[in-house]
Amino acid sequence: MNAIAGNIARIQSGLPAGVTLLAVSKFHPVKALREAYDAGQRVFGENRVQELLAKQPLLPPDIEWHFIGTLQINKVKYIAPFIHTVQSIDSPALLKEVDRQAARCNRTLRVLLEIHVAAEPSKHGFSPDECRTLVRNAPADAYPHVRIGGLMGMATFTDDMEQVRQEFRFLRALFDELKPVAGDAFDTLSMGMSGDYPVAVEEGSTLIRVGTSVFGEREA
């Protein structure tokens, strides 16, 4: 078993039922992604449009691609034909453009609303109140080609795991608050990365975004 396959097996063995492992493949070569695919991994995440467009045609068509980085409105059109989920919806304008481009492709795209819970201004996302307003007040037909599938958030980059835990706990509470309003499609809480995913899982994450612990340190 190669190192990547072993890493995936180790992580999967520690996950409860119902928690999805997303392999964050940014900056890693196609060969590494193929090794992960051959080990059974099917859900991959990229955060740069250009890199994703270079990799996607070279890999099997049954991969479930998620976009997890900041997405510029003028680049949505490039990934709309094949992307499975855009996890980083951080504004109504971006949501509207995803809906528009999905319509052009005759698709319905799944999205997650990114919530800013970290104590770092550099991170993106809706405030909790902005998210509440969007979910509760948007007309049912406002985004006919988008399915809001849940929330995504990143905790503060810190060694203080209690702070991280509290941020994840807050995000879970917001998810639980909005789910009865958002409906059955609202089923994903994406939180937790290589350094903090065990805490995220304990606090209710249903999808973890793991790169280094799957692929090792990225190539220079």
Side-chain angles (χ1 to χ4, degrees):
M1 180 181 293
N2 64 46
I4 291 174
N7 291 339
I8 290 170
R10 174 181 53 79
I11 295 168
Q12 292 279 20
S13 69
L15 294 180
V19 178
T20 298
L21 168 63
L22 178 149
V24 178
S25 48
K26 61 182 183 179
F27 306 128
H28 293 286
V30 168
K31 177 184 177 182
L33 276 69
R34 170 59 82 167
E35 290 179 14
Y37 180 91
D38 290 344
Q41 183 66 29
R42 292 296 182 270
V43 186
F44 291 82
E46 292 281 337
N47 75 338
R48 294 187 177 185
V49 169
Q50 186 173 358
E51 185 175 354
L52 175 56
L53 292 175
K55 290 175 177 175
Q56 186 265 342
L58 303 178
L59 288 157
D62 62 333
I63 285 179
E64 181 178 305
W65 291 104
H66 289 226
F67 195 83
I68 60 174
T70 301
L71 180 57
Q72 295 177 326
I73 287 176
N74 64 357
K75 293 186 177 180
V76 174
K77 61 187 175 185
Y78 299 115
I79 64 173
F82 66 86
I83 202 74
H84 179 278
T85 300
V86 179
Q87 291 205 16
S88 48
I89 298 294
D90 59 4
S91 71
L94 179 58
L95 185 60
K96 182 177 180 179
E97 180 64 9
V98 170
D99 180 74
R100 189 173 79 88
Q101 295 299 336
R104 291 184 63 185
C105 299
N106 196 28
R107 301 186 67 205
T108 298
L109 290 180
R110 186 168 178 271
V111 303
L112 304 183
L113 304 178
E114 183 175 359
I115 310 301
H116 188 175
V117 294
E120 295 167 328
S122 60
K123 288 198 165 70
H124 294 260
F126 291 99
S127 72
D129 282 343
E130 288 170 339
C131 180
R132 291 183 178 103
T133 297
L134 176 64
V135 172
R136 290 173 177 166
N137 299 340
D141 60 351
Y143 308 103
H145 292 272
V146 164
R147 179 162 57 93
I148 298 177
L151 305 180
M152 183 269 266
M154 290 181 282
T156 302
F157 184 68
T158 175
D159 292 331
D160 183 353
M161 285 298 109
E162 186 55 35
Q163 179 179 349
V164 169
R165 183 179 297 279
Q166 291 303 317
E167 291 168 355
F168 286 150
R169 188 168 294 172
F170 178 88
L171 193 57
R172 174 57 190 266
L174 181 64
F175 175 82
D176 289 344
E177 173 191 334
L178 295 176
K179 183 169 176 54
V181 181
D184 292 341
F186 197 84
D187 60 7
T188 300
L189 180 56
S190 171
M191 58 186 194
M193 300 186 291
S194 288
D196 57 22
Y197 78 81
V199 176
V201 170
E202 290 173 1
E203 295 303 327
S205 176
T206 68
L207 183 149
I208 58 172
R209 309 179 307 273
V210 180
T212 302
S213 293
V214 169
F215 295 106
E217 294 296 334
R218 65 189 186 217
E219 295 187 355

